[in-house]
Amino acid sequence: MTGIAKKSPQIQSVDPVWEAVRAGAQDILDREPSLANLVLASILNHDSFEAALAHRLAARLDHEDVSADIIRQAFADIVRDHPEIGEAARADLAATLERDPACHRAVEPLLYFKGYQAIQTHRFAHAMHRDGRGDFALYLQSRSSQVFQVDINPAVVMGKGIMLDHGTGLVIGETAVIGDNVSMLQNVTLGGTGKSDEDRHPKIGNGVLIGAGAKVLGNIKVGDCSRIGAGSVVLKEVPPRSTVAGVPAKVIGEAGCAQPALVMDQMVLVYDQNG
C-alpha cells in the first residue's frame, strides 16, 4: 500500500521582543499621528528587530562627518557577522522593560531611551574593535559621547541584560569587564588608576547594581550579586552578595536580595557606629 506523504507543518519563527516593539509602535501611530514619520521610519518599515535597531541608532548618530547611511550599512554588516548583537540587544531591552518603572512598552527604549541606545552603540563599536576596525569604533565612542553623554571605550567587554538608567555621565574605561544582568545609573564611573597600559579597570560580576554617582576605580573585582550605594567611591574588592557604601566604600552588610540589579534599590543607609 502506497501511502501519501504528508507535508510537514512549517514552523514559523517567533520573535516576541520584535512583536512587542511593533505593537508599541502601532499604538503610538494610533494615538499620536504627528509621530508617524518617526514610527514608520524607525520601526514599522523594517522586517526585523536588527534592521530597526541599526536604523534608529544611525539616525541618532548621524553627522556630516559620517552620515546615517554609512553608519546604517556598517551596522548591517556587523549584525550579519555578529548575530549575538541582536540577542544581547533584545536581552537589554527586556531588562529595561522589567527594571525601569518609567518604561511601559517595549518600543520606548528603542525609540527614546539614550541609556539603551548608548549601550547598543557600544555593542557595535566593540564588534568593530574586535574586527580590526579600530578607527570606526573610536568614532562611534566619540559620537555616542556627544549624543548620549555616555563614554564607553570600544574595548570594554559587556555581558547581556544590561540596564543603564538615564545614562548621563556614565564613563567606562578600556580594560573594564561587565557581567550579565548588571544595572547602572547615571554618573557612574568604572575608572582606571595610573597611566600604564596594563589591566587597570574594574571587573563587574553578574547581577550587580551600581547606584547613581558611584565611582569604582582600579583593577578590582566587584563580586556577583553585590550592591554599590549611590555616591560611593569603591577602591577595594567587593565580596559577592554584599552591600558597600561610603567614601571610601566599606562593606556594610549583605546585598539584601538575591539579585540587586533586578530590584534596583540603590538607597543605602550608613549608620555611624560611634553616633
Side-chain angles (χ1 to χ4, degrees):
M1 181 176 179
T2 303
I4 299 176
K6 295 181 179 180
K7 293 183 179 180
S8 299
Q10 293 184 346
I11 301 176
Q12 296 182 343
S13 61
V14 177
D15 187 345
V17 172
W18 177 229
E19 291 303 319
V21 169
R22 286 184 62 86
Q26 186 61 53
D27 181 62
I28 295 172
L29 191 62
D30 295 340
R31 293 172 179 268
E32 191 60 70
S34 59
L35 296 181
N37 287 341
L38 170 66
V39 172
L40 291 170
S42 300
I43 309 294
L44 295 178
N45 286 347
H46 300 285
D47 296 328
S48 69
F49 176 82
E50 285 81 359
L53 177 66
H55 185 281
R56 184 58 181 151
L57 294 180
R60 295 299 313 273
L61 298 168
D62 181 40
H63 190 270
E64 62 183 10
D65 290 339
V66 183
S67 70
D69 288 338
I70 293 174
I71 295 173
R72 190 179 303 113
Q73 184 57 56
F75 284 3
D77 294 340
I78 289 293
V79 165
R80 183 191 62 236
D81 297 335
H82 298 274
E84 67 275 8
I85 287 180
E87 298 173 8
R90 286 174 175 82
D92 296 342
L93 193 150
T96 303
L97 185 60
E98 177 185 9
R99 301 173 205 167
D100 186 352
C103 183
H104 306 291
R105 298 169 297 181
V107 70
E108 292 171 5
L110 184 55
L111 277 184
Y112 309 127
F113 289 13
K114 67 191 181 94
Y116 176 80
Q117 294 167 351
I119 293 296
Q120 307 324 308
T121 300
H122 168 70
R123 294 197 184 283
F124 283 103
H126 181 67
M128 288 183 171
H129 170 78
R130 289 173 55 195
D131 289 349
R133 303 179 66 182
D135 286 305
F136 206 140
L138 287 172
Y139 175 79
L140 290 175
Q141 176 192 1
S142 174
R143 188 71 184 128
S144 179
S145 180
Q146 290 178 312
V147 174
F148 306 126
Q149 294 83 53
V150 172
D151 195 341
I152 308 174
N153 188 281
V156 170
V157 177
M158 191 173 295
K160 297 186 294 185
I162 307 299
M163 203 279 276
L164 176 54
D165 197 6
H166 299 292
T168 302
L170 179 83
V171 177
I172 305 179
E174 180 185 26
T175 60
V177 176
I178 300 171
D180 295 331
N181 300 316
V182 170
S183 294
M184 297 176 285
L185 286 95
Q186 68 272 17
N187 292 315
V188 163
T189 297
L190 305 182
T193 54
K195 294 177 62 177
S196 72
D197 292 333
E198 299 176 357
D199 200 351
R200 62 194 184 279
H201 293 97
K203 309 299 179 282
I204 309 299
N206 300 324
V208 172
L209 171 63
I210 306 179
K215 317 299 178 187
V216 187
L217 305 177
N219 183 18
I220 58 176
K221 183 176 180 181
V222 176
D224 291 349
C225 301
S226 57
R227 180 172 62 147
I228 298 173
S232 299
V233 177
V234 182
L235 303 175
K236 296 181 179 180
E237 181 169 325
V238 177
R241 297 174 296 280
S242 63
T243 293
V244 298
V247 182
K250 298 178 181 179
V251 177
I252 62 171
E254 297 180 352
C257 61
Q259 293 200 57
L262 305 186
V263 177
M264 295 296 295
D265 182 6
Q266 61 170 326
M267 296 301 295
V268 178
L269 298 178
V270 181
Y271 296 99
D272 184 353
Q273 296 180 350
N274 298 319

